[in-house]
Amino acid sequence: MVGLKKSFVKAIPNLLIKYNSIFIIIASICLFCGMVGSTIKVGDKIEKQIIILSQASLGVYLLHENREFRMLLWNRIVNLKRFSEMPILFGGYIIVSAVVIFFIGIVCEMSRKSLMDLLKKRVKKNLSTVKFSFAKKVYGRKLKKMGMRFFDESK
């Protein structure tokens, strides 16, 4: 029974800070509810930057929470074990690493978004060309029979 109490006492900090902890969930809900009704006055430039960062945040989260990428990132690239013996450097290294990862993730997400927008434009352009040529083939003959012409044909 004593062993059970000791393991439970050791598990309490993990219960308080895990993502699915009831305390974290309640804190997240309270923070969200507090921010929904608030109005913060900022300039137009800052507002645009906040919108860009908020749009890219989901992409950054999905990128660094990918199982394979997370293992590569934290174990091979960042490698926190190097500074685990030096607490002062360890804290600074974690903060700098998180900020660098966040901004690299934002660059990746913004690049992905730009590429997708470019692809959408090309697909939309090609699709409208296909639709136009199909409509011309189908309805052009019918219009000619009726003595009319398709709107892009010259006189």
Side-chain angles (χ1 to χ4, degrees), residues 56-147:
S57 293
L58 178 64
V60 171
Y61 174 75
L62 293 175
L63 178 70
H64 89 272
E65 279 300 310
N66 178 292
R67 183 179 300 165
E68 286 78 24
F69 187 73
R70 182 177 10 152
M71 298 299 267
L72 173 78
L73 180 68
W74 292 108
N75 294 338
R76 298 251 172 103
I77 298 171
V78 175
N79 195 5
L80 294 174
K81 292 178 185 177
R82 291 184 284 189
F83 295 100
S84 61
E85 300 295 321
M86 300 172 268
I88 294 173
L89 292 177
F90 184 71
Y93 187 68
I94 288 177
I95 291 169
V96 169
S97 297
V99 169
V100 168
I101 290 167
F102 182 72
F103 282 107
I104 289 172
I106 285 179
V107 169
C108 290
E109 176 62 17
M110 291 174 74
S111 301
R112 184 205 60 83
K113 187 176 183 301
S114 298
L115 180 65
M116 289 297 120
D117 290 343
L118 180 67
L119 287 174
K120 276 184 202 175
K121 285 179 186 176
R122 289 197 179 189
V123 166
K124 198 180 260 187
K125 181 181 175 185
N126 291 340
L127 196 58
S128 64
T129 305
V130 169
K131 284 180 184 176
F132 179 76
S133 63
F134 178 74
K136 184 176 178 182
K137 284 179 184 177
V138 172
Y139 298 111
R141 288 184 227 131
K142 291 180 182 181
L143 290 173
K144 280 184 182 178
K145 285 181 184 178
M146 294 174 14

Side-chain angles (χ1 to χ4, degrees), residues 25-68:
I25 293 170
I26 291 170
S28 300
I29 292 170
C30 291
L31 182 64
F32 180 78
C33 291
M35 294 306 288
V36 165
S38 69
T39 54
I40 301 171
K41 304 278 183 183
V42 294
D44 288 341
K45 273 186 167 181
I46 294 174
E47 184 177 348
K48 287 178 184 177
Q49 291 171 351
I50 290 171
I51 289 170
I52 289 170
L53 287 177
S54 64
Q55 289 173 345
S57 293
L58 178 64
V60 171
Y61 174 75
L62 293 175
L63 178 70
H64 89 272
E65 279 300 310
N66 178 292
R67 183 179 300 165
E68 286 78 24

